[in-house]
Amino acid sequence: MGSTSDYGEFLAKKEGYVVAVVGVTGAVGQIMLEILAERKFPVSKLIPLASSRSAGSKIEFMGREYVVQDLEQFDPAGIDIALFSAGGDTSKQYAPRFAEAGCYVVDNSSAWRMDENVALIVPEVNPHAIKMAHANRIIANPNCSTIQMVVALKPLHDAVPIKRVNVSTYQAVSGAGSEAIDELAQQTGQLLNAEQPNVDVFPARIAFNVIPQIDVFLEDGYTKEERKMIDETRKIMEADIAVTATAVRVPVFYGHSEAVNITFDGEMNATLARELLAEAEGICVVDDPASEDYPMPTEAAGTDPVWVGRICDDHSCPNSLHLWVVADNVRKGAALNTVQIAEMLIQ
Ligand SMILES: NC(=O)c1ccc[n+]([C@@H]2O[C@H](COP(=O)([O-])OP(=O)(O)OC[C@H]3O[C@@H](n4cnc5c(N)ncnc54)[C@H](OP(=O)(O)O)[C@@H]3O)[C@@H](O)[C@H]2O)c1
């Protein structure tokens, strides 16, 4: 990962920083607290924030209990870093206020990702883009399915430029938040008890099903999730790569999987790709067909790397490969990437 010393100083060196976690009661916010503690991020004071719905409730961080505060009533003066994961509308409304008060915002929502003045960062891929944050103090965290894919694409693209990517995703329900996790658990129980399942969060029943729709449909027939993968990949990779995507929700709690087909603008093969991926930062290669060993969400869940396997030549097209890419969507796809960006701000 690049050192931010090349990109100018963001926050002056101190023993600890005042860190606000906005959306602290959510699926991502909860894992952010875990990762801040695990990575010993120097937090001198934690400010847990959510909506008025959960203001007053208690959360735990590093063995201490904190009372959740209402974002709407909160004055951001004195915060060093705010980690936002409370939806796009909340970020649009509050992130500029936090930035104007002098704090750096790392935002998990899609609100700022495609803003040309906002850096969209995966630290293993484009750390240099953080320079843009000197101007506006807001940094966007990419979409979860984009993050794990670009971590795998980057070392290959550095060796031989990528021309086209065709990805199909198999996305866990946790990508849609804590209510979605509850819905899969509840529907599974209902179906096993021969009851009619309640369908609230997803457009159709998710238990014992797959849904080829994530987010809303756009005019061209793609979904918004697919469009995010296309646009964000090109922004992060800073390359004119043709990308197409089919995003599918599957009844898995944690861990997104992706079948990625890549065409290169030059000679590439599975052997070289395996070597490049094995040496790359943030990637673990598990690719042993002889012992039926490949990455799966059950094993990736709760871990930090992007897991890559099933690396093979695509015989239907020259200089093309297949990869199978799996990562914990709430960790590398959200909270971990956010904390890694926060670490860049204090390096
Ligand atoms: N889950 C993932 O894998 C993932 C990956 C990448 C990005 N993201 C993004 O991260 C964000 C949060 O996702 P999540 O999965 O954690 O969702 P979630 O489990 O539904 O949690 C949402 C959080 O946002 C808070 N919130 C909602 N409206 C708010 C408001 N008006 N003011 C203050 N806080 C508000 C909620 O607080 P209350 O308890 O008060 O309701 C809760 O803490 C979304 O923008 C999502 O797109 C998620």
Side-chain angles (χ1 to χ4, degrees), residues 22-30 49-55 57 68-72 84-91 93-94 107-110 113 141-145 147 172-179 181 228 256 329-331 333-335:
V22 181
V24 74
T25 51
V28 175
Q30 285 295 293
L49 296 162
S51 78
S52 55
R53 287 181 294 274
S54 47
S57 64
V68 175
Q69 299 182 48
D70 183 355
L71 174 66
E72 209 183 333
F84 269 66
S85 68
D89 292 343
T90 309
S91 294
Q93 189 180 350
Y94 292 96
D107 180 39
N108 255 283
S109 79
S110 57
R113 290 178 189 154
N141 199 63
N143 173 267
C144 42
S145 29
I147 293 178
V173 294
S174 53
S178 46
E179 285 179 5
I181 298 171
K228 285 177 197 168
H256 288 355
N329 53 295
V330 184
R331 292 180 74 90

